[in-house]
C-alpha cells in the first residue's frame, strides 16, 4: 500500500525567502511521486514528477524536489518565494493500481 | 489548445436528489479520471475511464457512477445525494490509461442542502 504525509498544513514565508514544503511517502513498490499546485477556485496543476532516474527534479515556476529513498522523502523547494506562489500544494504517490494518492495539502502564504 | 472543461461550475441540490457532472478532456486525451475534494477527506480518487471502459475505481459507494463516451467526454452521476457529498469534484485527463493526470479542470462545486 502507498501513502503520503505532508508535514505542516500551513507554511508562511516572506517574499524572497526559501520555500520548503515537506512530503514523506510510504510505498511497497518503487514510487512515482508528484507535486501539484492548486490556486483558489481552480483545479490542480502538475508542478513536477519523479519516476526514475535523476533524483533532483526540476519543475515549473522555479520549483524543484529531491527524491531521497533513504529518508522516504520528496520535499519541494524554491529558492526565492514570490507573492504569486501563494496556493495550496499537494504531494502525491502513484499507487500499485495506478491510482494517485494525495497528501492532505500544505497552504503556502507569502508575505511582502 | 482548450483545457479540461467541467460543467457546471456550481451546483446546489437537496438530499435525495441525483446529479450529473460533465467533463470534456483535452483534445486527443483518451483517459479521464475523477476526484472528490473535501476539507475533511482531502483529494480522493473516484474512478478512471479509458476507451469508454471503467479502468479503475476508488472506494466510494455504488451511488457514485460514471461513463465515458466515444468522443472521450465523461460524465459522473451521484444518486440519492447526502449532505456528505458536498465537495469539489475534479476531472483530469491524460493521453492514455494509467498516466498521472497532468491537466485538471477547475471543478464542479456541489453543495447539498
Amino acid at each position: 500500500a502507498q501513502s503520503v504525509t505532508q508535514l505542516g498544513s500551513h507554511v508562511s514565508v516572506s517574499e524572497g525567502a526559501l520555500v520548503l514544503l515537506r512530503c514523506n511517502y510510504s510505498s511497497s513498490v518503487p514510487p512515482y511521486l508528484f507535486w501539484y499546485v492548486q490556486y483558489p477556485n481552480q483545479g490542480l496543476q502538475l508542478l513536477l514528477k519523479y519516476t526514475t532516474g535523476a533524483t533532483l527534479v526540476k519543475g515549473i515556476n522555479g520549483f524543484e524536489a529531491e527524491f531521497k529513498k533513504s529518508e522516504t522523502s520528496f520535499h519541494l523547494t524554491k529558492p526565492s518565494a514570490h507573492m504569486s506562489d501563494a496556493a495550496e500544494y499537494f504531494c502525491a504517490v502513484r499507487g500499485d493500481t495506478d491510482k494517485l494518492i494525495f497528501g492532505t495539502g500544505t497552504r503556502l502564504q507569502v508575505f511582502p | 489548445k482548450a483545457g479540461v472543461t467541467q460543467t457546471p461550475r456550481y451546483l446546489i441540490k437537496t438530499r435525495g436528489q441525483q446529479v450529473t457532472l460533465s467533463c470534456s478532456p483535452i483534445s486527443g486525451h483518451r483517459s479521464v479520471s475523477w476526484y472528490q475534494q473535501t476539507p475533511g477527506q482531502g483529494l480522493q480518487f473516484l474512478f478512471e475511464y479509458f476507451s469508454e471502459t471503467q479502468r479503475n475505481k476508488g472506494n466510494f459507494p455504488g451511488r457514485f457512477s460514471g461513463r465515458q463516451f466515444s468522443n472521450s467526454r465523461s460524465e459522473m452521476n451521484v444518486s440519492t445525494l447526502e449532505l456528505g457529498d458536498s465537495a469539489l469534484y475534479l476531472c483530469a485527463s491524460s493521453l492514455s490509461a494509467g498516466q498521472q493526470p497532468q491537466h485538471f479542470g477547475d471543478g464542479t462545486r456541489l453543495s447539498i442542502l
Side-chain angles (χ1 to χ4, degrees):
Chain A
Q2 286 78 26
S3 66
V4 167
T5 302
Q6 290 185 243
L7 299 174
S9 58
H10 290 82
V11 169
S12 298
V13 300
S14 299
E15 195 172 19
L18 171 73
V19 175
L20 170 61
L21 305 182
R22 300 177 188 273
C23 172
N24 288 88
Y25 70 90
S26 171
S27 179
S28 54
V29 298
Y32 285 12
L33 295 159
F34 311 88
W35 276 100
Y36 288 86
V37 60
Q38 185 177 32
Y39 297 100
N41 298 316
Q42 293 186 24
L44 279 70
Q45 181 181 3
L46 180 65
L47 274 177
L48 49 80
K49 63 181 178 182
Y50 168 80
T51 53
T52 58
T55 56
L56 182 62
V57 180
K58 294 187 185 299
I60 61 172
N61 302 340
F63 284 94
E64 62 182 36
E66 187 171 10
F67 170 65
K68 292 187 176 180
K69 185 178 178 181
S70 60
E71 299 177 9
T72 61
S73 69
F74 190 58
H75 302 331
L76 182 70
T77 60
K78 182 174 180 177
S80 176
H82 294 168
M83 296 294 291
S84 60
D85 294 327
E88 189 147 22
Y89 292 80
F90 293 91
C91 182
V93 61
R94 194 168 94 172
D96 50 10
T97 55
D98 290 342
K99 300 174 190 176
L100 266 187
I101 298 161
F102 287 91
T104 51
T106 298
R107 186 168 298 278
L108 175 67
Q109 285 185 302
V110 182
F111 292 102
Chain B
K1 195 174 186 180
V4 179
T5 304
Q6 290 188 248
T7 56
R9 286 295 311 275
Y10 302 92
L11 208 47
I12 300 175
K13 292 286 187 179
T14 56
R15 282 180 298 176
Q17 288 187 310
Q18 74 163 17
V19 68
T20 299
L21 312 181
S22 178
C23 172
S24 294
I26 290 173
S27 177
H29 284 198
R30 295 173 59 201
S31 174
V32 173
S33 50
W34 289 88
Y35 294 81
Q36 182 196 62
Q37 186 176 23
T38 60
Q41 300 297 318
L43 278 154
Q44 293 186 285
F45 172 81
L46 279 158
F47 24 64
E48 179 190 7
Y49 285 87
F50 177 75
S51 291
E52 302 178 62
T53 302
Q54 187 180 88
R55 184 178 174 274
N56 228 333
K57 189 178 192 312
N59 189 25
F60 279 82
R63 300 185 297 107
F64 291 81
S65 63
R67 59 178 175 168
Q68 187 179 34
F69 301 95
S70 58
N71 62 356
S72 296
R73 189 178 72 85
S74 176
E75 289 181 347
M76 68 163 279
N77 184 277
V78 188
S79 62
T80 320
L81 286 165
E82 300 177 359
L83 292 177
D85 297 334
S86 294
L88 180 67
Y89 290 88
L90 292 166
C91 165
S93 75
S94 308
L95 277 169
S96 185
Q99 293 182 331
Q100 78 287 345
Q102 190 157 352
H103 307 277
F104 281 76
D106 287 340
T108 293
R109 170 109 22 220
L110 175 62
S111 299
I112 311 302
L113 303 179

